[in-house]
């Protein structure tokens, strides 16, 4: 995908950007979502999930590394912030979530990036002051 840059002025616009990307995804696709705390990663994923038919809450996983959400297709939503390192982890840890039948979104993907397969997009969210965010989809 060619890099696309958008500037948003509030969470609804960031959700819309997520929905826009979701429309171009197929089962098995994995999207990496990077950016500082509060930059809008989960907001972006929420918009994507809504577009994929997820109706329940979309929040960053806290007590596990991931959630599986009931959409069409199913969505795996991972947040690897607390993982620290994959050293010593079961290699199946991520594969259990990121299956060929699901669309996957991974917040804080850096720790796992070399091992992640089927990555179709990298999303970077950056603060631009106040409620403004810059979103790069590459
Ligand atoms: P992250 O997952 O990156 O930590 P969240 O999506 O959980 O970030 O939180 C982003 C916060 O910033 C939310 O409280 C959201 O309402 C707020 N916000 C304000 N403006 C924007 C914007 N333009 N895009 C996304 N979130 C925004
Ligand atoms: Mg988050």
């Amino acid at each position: 995908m060619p890099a696309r840059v958008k500037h948003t002025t509030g969470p609804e616009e960031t959700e819309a950007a997520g929905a826009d990307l979701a429309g171009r995804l197929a089962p098995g696709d994995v999207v990496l979502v990077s950016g500082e705390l509060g930059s809008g990663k989960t907001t972006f994923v929420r918009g994507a999930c809504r577009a994929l038919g997820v109706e329940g809450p979309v929040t960053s996983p806290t007590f596990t590394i991931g959630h599986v959400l009931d959409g069409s297709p199913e969505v795996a939503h991972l947040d690897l912030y607390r993982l620290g390192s994959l050293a010593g982890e079961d290699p199946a840890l991520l594969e259990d979530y990121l299956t060929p039948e699901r669309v996957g979104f991974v917040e804080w993907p850096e720790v796992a990036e070399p091992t992640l397969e089927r990555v179709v997009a990298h999303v970077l969210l950056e603060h631009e002051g106040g409620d403004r965010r810059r979103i790069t989809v590459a």
Side-chain angles (χ1 to χ4, degrees):
M1 283 185 202
R4 299 179 185 205
V5 178
K6 281 184 190 174
H7 299 266
T8 66
T9 61
E12 299 78 12
E13 286 181 23
T14 295
E15 288 194 13
D20 187 52
L21 176 62
R24 294 184 271 135
L25 298 175
D29 288 351
V30 174
V31 176
L32 309 185
V33 188
S34 304
E36 292 173 15
L37 199 69
S39 59
K41 299 182 294 299
T42 300
T43 301
F44 183 94
V45 173
R46 183 177 303 116
C49 285
R50 293 286 176 254
L52 294 168
V54 175
E55 292 180 348
V58 178
T59 56
S60 267
T62 305
F63 298 108
T64 62
I65 65 158
H67 291 148
V68 176
L69 304 169
D70 192 14
S72 179
E74 274 187 347
V75 177
H77 178 197
L78 279 68
D79 185 323
L80 305 183
Y81 184 68
R82 286 164 206 81
L83 196 54
S85 143
L86 282 180
E89 298 289 347
D90 182 339
L93 181 68
L94 301 177
E95 288 165 34
D96 284 348
Y97 285 96
L98 299 172
T99 69
E101 294 78 27
R102 297 172 182 154
V103 165
F105 294 93
V106 184
E107 296 187 40
W108 299 103
E110 290 76 12
V111 63
E113 212 162 329
T115 70
L116 289 172
E117 293 172 354
R118 303 188 301 267
V119 174
V120 298
H122 293 68
V123 180
L124 174 64
L125 292 114
E126 296 167 283
H127 290 277
E128 288 198 302
D131 287 347
R132 289 183 294 117
R133 304 288 191 275
R134 173 187 157 104
I135 305 175
T136 306
V137 180

